[in-house]
Amino acid sequence: MASRDGPVCQIFSFQDTKTSPDPVFELPINCLMPTPVPLVIDNGSFQTRAGWAAVDHDFPRLLFRSVSARSRGAARNETQIGNDIPNLEPLRWLLKSQFDRNVVVNFEIQELIFDYVFSHMGIASEGNIAHPIVLTEAPCNPLHCRQMMSELLFECYHVPYVSYGVDGLYSFYHNNNQTNHSASPTGIVLSSGYHCSHILPVINGRLDAVNCKRVNVAGSQAASYLQRLLQLKYPGHLAAITLSRMEELLHEHSYTAVDYHEELEKWRSPEYYEREVHRMQLPFSNKLPGGGTCMEDRHERRAQQLRRINEINARRREEKLQQDQERLDRLMTVQELLEDGLFDQFHKSLVELNMDSAEELHSYINKLQLAVEQGRQKLLHIDGAEGKVEVSELEQHMDEADGVSLIDADFPEDLLPEKPANVAQPVFNMAEYHQLFVGTERLRCPEILFQPALTGEDQMGLMETLQYVLARYTPEQQEALVSNIFLTGGNMQYQGMKQRVERELLAIRPFQSHFKVNIASQPSLDSWFGAQDWALEHPPAEGAEGWISRKDYEEKGGEYLSEHCASNAFVPMKIPKPAQPPELSVTTQTAYGAAAAGVTKVSSAVATFLSSNTADVVKIT
């Protein structure tokens, strides 16, 4: 019979990529002449991307994590931003972001991010940025957050123009231009990033903000869920299961199941498990604790420890000898006062030394002289017997630490079990002990996008929310929307995501209805490319579509938004007018007038009476 080959184990290692600091680029000449070129900044909650809106710049120059770290008590200019932090894990407790979910709320950190971008892009002008800014913002961004962002850009950096847009719509715009679709497309954008996911319906090229929905499940929740699962599975490797490694597992080894329950049934098969499980190798050392080294290494280690002990003892002897010598010199100085006849100073010194008589001083001097002489002898001639005792004690402690125990000679030997010589001792595989077997976790973590209840979230999944949004439109509008469903965002890069969305739509939509699902060519970068395309096609100018000038900012307020094909819908802030006092009726006015006339008559009578009395007083005087 032909022997069947066993399943091949798939062993992977964590890359543990460490970032290097970004270089400071020089400002290209063509970005200043004849007019300053717009700077495109994709302000993402996971990664910030920045580059020039120029024809010869087809890729963002800066890509870094949207985090900052500053130790307690450090100055503001000592803050580390993005790629200045080579490894995030040691500083995880210090990391701060400008985002709450996907909305910018911490504008102090946002200012640090802008400083980092402007300085590394070669803009050296202090307090004045001559380049227009194209910036992404969250869908349905609160007016207060946009007001604070405009205030930061116009007041702090004095930028000439600002344009705001939604990252998912920029990606939709970019891919629509590549496929040469209509200028005013209709469709639904499913965008899933690091902190949350969005469903953005687009009608005739404009965002229908009324029916936009957000799902608070995305990449960060999947990474935390994976970390929790593996830490429960491997409690001995809690420190090694870091959040950065879980993000690497999600990006490189996870996938979306087309049919979740059917896929889980496949994993019940041992053959399928052995074939598909990914063994992640953790770093480890081959040295076993206690007895894993050879005899020569143990002797060398003992010799090193003996040398260290001898050095410590010699240092202590020298310090004690120096202290005794200083004390002896001081006592000899006091005794010289007695010999010179300075009795008052002698008695004062005795009181300071807490001694009663000269005899006590002389006895203490003799003892110190003997101790100093013995200390010098020990330094010159090390006692050999003492060294032997130290060696024997050290060997005894090392044997106990290595797990070697001595058996008493009186112990009956017949009670000791005899081990046959041909029995193979079990071998501990250190490499296998430091392996993480990632099996069903590869599909369970991306599944929370469709079933948030797996993590305890009490909300609808992405496709249920899509069904709810579609139900708010007429059947004709639904047909137009589902004919162009677009997937974008870094959390949409899982293998099988497009097939899963198509299968869910097949169950949602009516029988024999048509739909089409497209995915972005580069889900995590197309938002920046779309913003660059828009900036090239719409140059900044006073009153141009999509651009906010400083004049607009001063006249219309910081929350003002100039709409365009990839922006939010501007909903101006409505300030309620103060309530007007109710108008008086005719009857009330008549009564009020009569009362006023009566008051006038009384007042005139009182005035006449007072004037007459005053005249009488003058006559009497």
Side-chain angles (χ1 to χ4, degrees), residues 254-259 450 487 492-503 519:
S254 298
Y255 67 96
T256 302
V258 178
D259 189 330
F450 302 95
L487 309 181
M492 287 290 183
Q493 300 183 87
Y494 296 116
Q495 179 185 356
M497 178 62 72
K498 180 181 177 182
Q499 292 78 6
R500 175 62 180 272
V501 173
E502 290 175 345
R503 185 182 182 279
I519 190 168

Side-chain angles (χ1 to χ4, degrees), residues 96-287:
K96 291 183 180 180
S97 175
Q98 69 268 37
F99 289 93
D100 181 9
R101 294 288 184 180
N102 64 324
V103 178
V104 178
V105 295
N106 194 333
F107 287 91
E108 180 183 359
I109 298 178
Q110 184 64 62
E111 184 179 353
L112 294 174
I113 297 289
F114 281 149
D115 290 342
Y116 184 87
V117 170
F118 295 148
S119 61
H120 284 75
M121 292 298 291
I123 303 175
S125 57
E126 294 184 2
N128 185 12
I129 306 299
H131 298 269
I133 303 297
V134 180
L135 187 66
T136 59
E137 64 177 6
C140 303
N141 192 32
L143 294 180
H144 173 71
C145 297
R146 186 183 300 124
Q147 179 183 2
M148 296 295 293
M149 186 69 75
S150 297
E151 181 179 344
L152 177 63
L153 290 172
F154 283 111
E155 301 293 344
C156 181
Y157 296 103
H158 301 282
V159 298
Y161 298 96
V162 173
S163 177
Y164 296 108
V166 180
D167 50 0
L169 297 181
Y170 275 135
S171 180
F172 183 61
Y173 178 84
H174 173 69
N175 286 267
N176 183 70
N177 287 349
Q178 286 185 338
T179 54
N180 297 322
H181 282 173
S182 62
S184 300
T186 298
I188 287 188
V189 179
L190 301 183
S191 175
S192 183
Y194 188 63
H195 280 127
C196 55
S197 305
H198 291 92
I199 297 176
L200 310 175
V202 179
I203 305 293
N204 297 327
R206 291 304 176 103
L207 175 67
D208 185 11
V210 177
N211 294 318
C212 290
K213 297 299 175 185
R214 184 179 77 173
V215 180
N216 292 326
V217 174
S220 62
Q221 289 81 9
S224 300
Y225 183 48
L226 179 58
Q227 184 184 33
R228 194 191 330 163
L229 290 177
L230 291 182
Q231 284 183 344
L232 289 173
K233 189 175 180 180
Y234 298 99
H237 302 303
L238 294 180
I241 303 174
T242 61
L243 203 58
S244 299
R245 287 175 175 170
M246 297 306 101
E247 292 173 356
E248 180 184 337
L249 272 178
L250 283 176
H251 297 160
E252 303 294 336
H253 302 275
S254 298
Y255 67 96
T256 302
V258 178
D259 189 330
Y260 180 65
H261 296 286
E262 182 181 347
E263 190 71 19
L264 285 181
E265 288 297 327
K266 293 181 182 178
W267 281 90
R268 292 180 180 273
S269 171
E271 293 80 9
Y272 186 86
Y273 178 86
E274 291 294 332
R275 185 174 67 253
E276 297 296 332
V277 68
H278 284 195
R279 303 186 181 191
M280 305 304 301
Q281 184 67 60
L282 296 173
F284 68 98
S285 175
N286 284 321
K287 292 184 178 181

Side-chain angles (χ1 to χ4, degrees), residues 88 102 121 139 154 201 242 261 284 292 310 353 363 376 416 418 423 458 490 499 538 554 561 620:
L88 296 179
N102 64 324
M121 292 298 291
F154 283 111
T242 61
H261 296 286
F284 68 98
N310 289 335
L353 294 174
S363 174
R376 289 174 179 172
L416 294 176
E418 296 182 0
V423 174
D458 187 16
Q499 292 78 6
H538 300 78
E554 293 174 349
L561 172 67
I620 294 172

Side-chain angles (χ1 to χ4, degrees), residues 267-504:
W267 281 90
R268 292 180 180 273
S269 171
E271 293 80 9
Y272 186 86
Y273 178 86
E274 291 294 332
R275 185 174 67 253
E276 297 296 332
V277 68
H278 284 195
R279 303 186 181 191
M280 305 304 301
Q281 184 67 60
L282 296 173
F284 68 98
S285 175
N286 284 321
K287 292 184 178 181
L288 289 174
T293 57
C294 59
M295 188 63 66
E296 291 78 6
D297 294 339
R298 293 166 60 185
H299 284 303
E300 180 65 23
R301 189 167 65 249
R302 290 173 183 173
Q304 291 178 359
Q305 292 190 3
L306 178 60
R307 285 193 295 269
R308 286 198 298 268
I309 290 176
N310 289 335
E311 292 174 359
I312 293 173
N313 290 336
R315 194 181 307 115
R316 289 178 178 175
R317 291 192 189 101
E318 291 177 359
E319 293 175 356
K320 187 175 184 305
L321 177 62
Q322 184 178 1
Q323 294 175 359
D324 291 344
Q325 185 65 45
E326 292 176 355
R327 194 178 295 110
L328 178 61
D329 293 341
R330 184 182 178 187
L331 295 180
M332 294 297 294
T333 304
V334 175
Q335 189 175 14
E336 290 176 359
L337 294 176
L338 178 63
E339 296 174 355
D340 294 342
L342 303 174
F343 298 105
D344 294 338
Q345 297 181 9
F346 175 73
H347 287 297
K348 289 181 180 180
S349 300
L350 280 182
V351 173
E352 292 176 358
L353 294 174
N354 197 17
M355 294 184 182
D356 298 331
S357 61
E359 291 78 6
E360 185 178 357
L361 173 66
H362 184 69
S363 174
Y364 201 75
I365 289 176
N366 292 335
K367 292 179 180 179
L368 277 180
Q369 287 177 345
L370 181 60
V372 168
E373 185 64 25
Q374 290 179 354
R376 289 174 179 172
Q377 293 295 331
K378 286 183 180 181
L379 289 178
L380 294 177
H381 307 286
I382 299 177
D383 191 8
E386 181 183 358
K388 292 181 181 179
V389 171
E390 290 178 354
V391 172
S392 62
E393 291 179 354
L394 179 62
E395 289 182 353
Q396 180 179 358
H397 290 304
M398 290 301 301
D399 289 341
E400 293 176 357
D402 291 338
V404 180
S405 59
L406 298 177
I407 301 177
D408 191 359
D410 297 333
F411 194 85
E413 296 183 359
D414 54 349
L415 296 180
L416 294 176
E418 296 182 0
K419 296 183 179 180
N422 56 354
V423 174
Q425 298 295 326
V427 179
F428 183 76
N429 192 340
M430 183 66 71
E432 188 173 350
Y433 174 73
H434 286 85
Q435 287 178 1
L436 305 180
F437 286 61
V438 185
T440 57
E441 294 85 2
R442 295 175 55 201
L443 66 145
R444 290 172 64 187
C445 295
E447 185 64 23
I448 68 171
L449 188 61
F450 302 95
Q451 301 184 53
L454 294 176
T455 60
E457 292 285 342
D458 187 16
Q459 59 177 326
M460 292 189 296
L462 188 67
M463 301 309 296
E464 291 179 88
T465 310
L466 175 61
Q467 184 179 8
Y468 173 79
V469 170
L470 289 175
R472 300 172 69 89
Y473 293 97
T474 63
E476 293 77 12
Q477 290 177 327
Q478 292 183 22
E479 289 291 336
L481 288 171
V482 298
S483 63
N484 188 13
I485 294 181
F486 181 71
L487 309 181
T488 186
N491 202 41
M492 287 290 183
Q493 300 183 87
Y494 296 116
Q495 179 185 356
M497 178 62 72
K498 180 181 177 182
Q499 292 78 6
R500 175 62 180 272
V501 173
E502 290 175 345
R503 185 182 182 279
E504 296 286 343

